[in-house]
């Protein structure tokens, strides 16, 4: 782009006004130029017009332009040299981010496998989880309580006389009766504020996050994730070329500080009902803070409400989406936990003004389908089986949780902590900072118990130590004996 066209183009972009009303002018200019650089509309080395001429062309004060340029400079998007003005940097921040997140053997891997950089990240960012299912493996569920016969009957009913539309990809965001059933469920049990038009059926949370990343961000945009974080979300966001910015989690949930606020993200991925993996419930104050901040900066919040069905104590907390007055929250839910992961169905609730674009995007990018299963699931919910299945699972898992907490209680005498938490399908045992939690997990594995080290979910140098212990999969009668074995392993490891 020539200097003249850069000013014209900037003016048009700024007029298009895809900014929240309260966003200051310098942030709008900064955002617009940064996006142009990240999306390669402005290529490395391109000389930008002077702040004075841009200020005249755009009708802003020179200070506004100086502030925007200063931020671009601080973040490494532009470089300034006396005499040659300001140019787009040759090496962009996202290039550094990519370099830093990829394994050192990246280039070899790409050449050897023919994978793209994106493919290399997708395939190798974190170790593949082991699929050998053992007691206490987090994320594994017990399917023995699933009403298989009933489900088969509902599927058969759909297949007896399938309508042609049920065998197609399915337009309009998913099967309408299922969207209605989910809307009723979410209004009642999660205080989600929605109309049916705002719901899309996806093939699960992983796909919902991917759709949000593709439709709401451009390559290089900043996204806040929780530290520690759900690796599934992290991988999808990273593969989309986003700049991941880890935000610590304290006893009130995601805890952004001043340094975080200085560089607003485009997306915020969070698990407020039950932080994954730490299990913290986000406080009311933190919820308000995040919502207000997102509204003032025009950021989107992805609320992953992955296991809120399993609340064993206290009143269920309402969703972040239900508190949102500014339409900044996208609410993500899944049937993986209550039904079974292979059902590959989840839902995404978007703000009203995004509904049409998301339906089109879903169709264009992912060709959803699975309408027959969606129809069977709609009946499963409408006929009350979903609610009774959740009640049954809550009873089974609640009992397992109670037994596990009791069996693990002795670990608190050697410096481990068992934070109170009344929901979800796993417990966290917090270990002292100098403890090698990977080693403790290995020692547990030697006893046939599969637990995950908390540090494996952390990002950066200062990783919290602990163990993630799933109790959904282990048979109820095995929980107490296995829990005692695990407690002994921890006590022995911490006593050395
Ligand atoms: C935080 C979180 N979100 C989402 C999911 C799974 O969602 P889905 O199977 O629909 O992709 C999981 C699974 O463990 C999870 O831990």
């Amino acid at each position: 782009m020539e200097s003249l066209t850069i000013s014209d183009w900037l003016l048009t972009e700024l007029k298009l006004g895809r900014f929240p009303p309260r966003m200051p002018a310098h942030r709008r200019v900064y955002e617009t130029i940064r996006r142009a650089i990240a999306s390669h509309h402005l290529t490395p080395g391109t000389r930008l017009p002077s702040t004075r001429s841009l200020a005249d062309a755009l009708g802003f004060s020179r200070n506004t332009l100086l502030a925007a340029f200063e931020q671009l400079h601080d973040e490494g998007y532009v470089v300034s040299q006396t005499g040659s003005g300001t140019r787009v940097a040759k090496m962009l921040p996202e290039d550094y981010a990519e370099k830093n997140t990829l394994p050192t053997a990246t280039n070899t891997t790409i050449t050897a496998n023919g994978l793209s950089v994106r493919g290399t990240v997708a395939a190798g960012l974190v170790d593949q989880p082991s699929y050998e299912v053992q007691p206490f493996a987090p994320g594994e569920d017990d399917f023995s309580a699933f009403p298989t016969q009933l489900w088969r009957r509902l599927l058969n009913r759909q297949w007896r006389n399938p309508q042609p539309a049920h065998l197609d990809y399915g337009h309009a965001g998913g099967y309408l009766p299922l969207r209605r059933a989910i809307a009723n469920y979410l209004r009642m049990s999660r205080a989600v504020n929605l109309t049916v038009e705002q719901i899309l059926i996806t093939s699960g949370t992983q796909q919902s996050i991917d759709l949000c990343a593709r439709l709401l961000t451009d390559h290089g945009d900043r996204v806040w994730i929780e530290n520690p974080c759900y690796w599934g979300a992290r991988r999808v966001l990273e593969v989309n070329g986003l700049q991941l910015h880890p935000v610590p989690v304290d006893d009130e949930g995601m805890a952004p500080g001043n340094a975080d606020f200085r560089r607003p993200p485009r997306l915020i991925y969070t698990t407020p009902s039950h932080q994954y993996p730490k299990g913290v419930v986000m406080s009311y104050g933190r919820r308000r803070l995040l919502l207000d901040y997102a509204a003032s900066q025009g950021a989107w919040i992805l609320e992953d409400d992955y296991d809120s069905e399993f609340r064993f104590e206290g009143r269920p907390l309402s969703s972040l989406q239900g508190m949102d007055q500014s339409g900044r929250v996208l609410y993500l839910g899944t049937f993986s936990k209550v039904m079974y992961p292979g059902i590959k169905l989840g839902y995404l609730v978007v703000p009203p003004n995004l509904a049409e674009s998301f339906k089109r995007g879903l169709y264009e990018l992912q060709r959803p389908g699975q309408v027959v299963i969606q129809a069977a699931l709609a009946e499963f919910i409408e006929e009350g089986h979903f609610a009774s299945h959740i009640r049954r699972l809550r009873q089974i898992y609640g009992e397992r949780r109670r037994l596990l907490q009791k069996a693990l209680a002795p670990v608190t005498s050697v410096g481990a902590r068992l934070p109170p938490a009344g929901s979800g399908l796993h417990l966290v045992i917090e270990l002292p900072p100098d403890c090698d939690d990977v080693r403790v997990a290995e020692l547990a594995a030697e006893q046939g118990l599969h637990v995950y080290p908390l540090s494996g979910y952390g990002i950066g140098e200062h990783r919290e130590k602990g163990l993630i212990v799933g109790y959904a999969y282990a048979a109820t009668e095995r929980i107490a004996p296995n829990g005692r074995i695990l407690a002994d392993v921890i006590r022995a490891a911490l006593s050395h």
Side-chain angles (χ1 to χ4, degrees), residues 303-494:
E303 176 179 17
D304 181 355
D305 208 8
Y306 63 104
D307 70 356
S308 56
E309 292 84 6
F310 303 112
R311 178 139 201 101
F312 309 112
E313 293 157 21
R315 243 164 28 91
L317 273 165
S318 54
S319 60
L320 195 59
Q321 195 274 4
M323 291 172 64
D324 176 26
Q325 303 284 319
S326 311
R328 305 310 304 179
V329 178
L330 292 94
Y331 176 92
L332 285 56
T334 180
F335 287 103
S336 286
K337 306 281 175 195
V338 177
M339 299 294 282
Y340 52 99
I343 195 169
K344 294 296 298 162
L345 286 179
Y347 42 90
L348 175 59
V349 179
V350 301
N353 60 337
L354 292 183
E356 193 48 40
S357 319
F358 264 69
K359 278 176 204 161
R360 288 181 192 210
L362 176 69
Y363 187 77
E364 291 304 328
L365 296 173
Q366 298 172 343
R367 296 282 191 269
Q370 300 280 38
V371 187
V372 172
I373 296 187
Q374 292 187 34
L377 182 56
E379 295 200 345
F380 189 79
I381 300 174
E382 281 159 6
E383 292 176 7
H385 309 302
F386 186 67
S388 45
H389 185 48
I390 291 179
R391 276 198 299 276
R392 179 154 168 63
L393 288 181
R394 237 183 240 152
Q395 206 178 20
I396 297 171
Y397 293 152
E399 171 70 353
R400 291 181 188 176
R401 179 182 189 87
R402 193 184 61 73
L403 291 168
L404 182 60
Q405 274 172 325
K406 192 166 166 217
L408 290 176
V411 301
T412 53
S413 65
V414 284
R417 215 170 80 90
L418 272 177
S423 66
L425 300 178
H426 68 262
L427 287 178
V428 185
I429 306 172
E430 290 179 3
L431 298 175
D434 59 349
C435 170
D436 180 355
D437 57 356
V438 176
R439 181 70 196 130
V440 184
E442 282 168 3
L443 292 170
E446 285 170 16
Q447 303 295 321
L449 304 174
H450 192 176
V451 294
Y452 287 164
L454 178 59
S455 61
Y457 295 83
I459 304 158
E461 275 177 27
H462 301 291
R463 298 176 182 219
E464 292 172 62
K465 304 294 174 52
L467 297 176
I468 311 292
V469 190
Y471 47 81
Y473 174 74
T476 306
E477 61 280 8
R478 297 299 309 151
I479 293 269
N482 282 332
R484 283 194 287 273
I485 297 173
L486 182 60
D488 287 346
V489 168
I490 296 169
R491 274 155 51 113
L494 293 188

Side-chain angles (χ1 to χ4, degrees), residues 138-141 202-209 226 229-233 269-271 274-277 304-307 332-337 340-342 344-347 426 457:
E140 299 297 341
D141 310 302
T202 66
S203 62
T205 301
Q206 202 71 348
Q207 193 198 38
S208 299
I209 298 173
E226 294 164 331
C229 183
Y230 170 49
W231 55 263
Y269 168 80
T270 179
T271 47
H274 188 231
Q275 202 275 333
Y276 193 91
D304 181 355
D305 208 8
Y306 63 104
D307 70 356
L332 285 56
T334 180
F335 287 103
S336 286
K337 306 281 175 195
Y340 52 99
K344 294 296 298 162
L345 286 179
Y347 42 90
H426 68 262
Y457 295 83

Side-chain angles (χ1 to χ4, degrees), residues 10-72:
L10 256 178
L11 194 58
T12 319
E13 285 294 299
L14 285 163
K15 275 195 183 140
L16 280 178
R18 290 189 309 143
F19 304 102
R22 280 179 283 157
M23 188 184 258
H26 68 91
R27 288 246 1 125
R28 294 175 191 226
V29 176
Y30 153 83
E31 228 6 274
T32 311
I33 300 180
R34 193 195 59 73
R35 281 166 171 273
I37 296 174
S39 59
H40 302 289
H41 277 89
L42 288 173
T43 47
T46 304
R47 184 177 174 157
L48 297 181
S50 70
T51 48
R52 197 180 300 279
S53 66
L54 269 183
D56 287 347
L58 305 178
F60 288 130
S61 74
R62 178 134 183 263
N63 280 345
T64 298
L65 269 298
L66 284 172
F69 271 48
E70 192 177 279
Q71 188 168 357
L72 289 164

Side-chain angles (χ1 to χ4, degrees), residues 228-246:
C229 183
Y230 170 49
W231 55 263
R234 183 179 161 192
R235 188 176 298 199
V236 174
L237 295 167
E238 197 147 28
V239 162
N240 275 285
L242 299 176
Q243 215 186 321
L244 301 194
H245 178 79

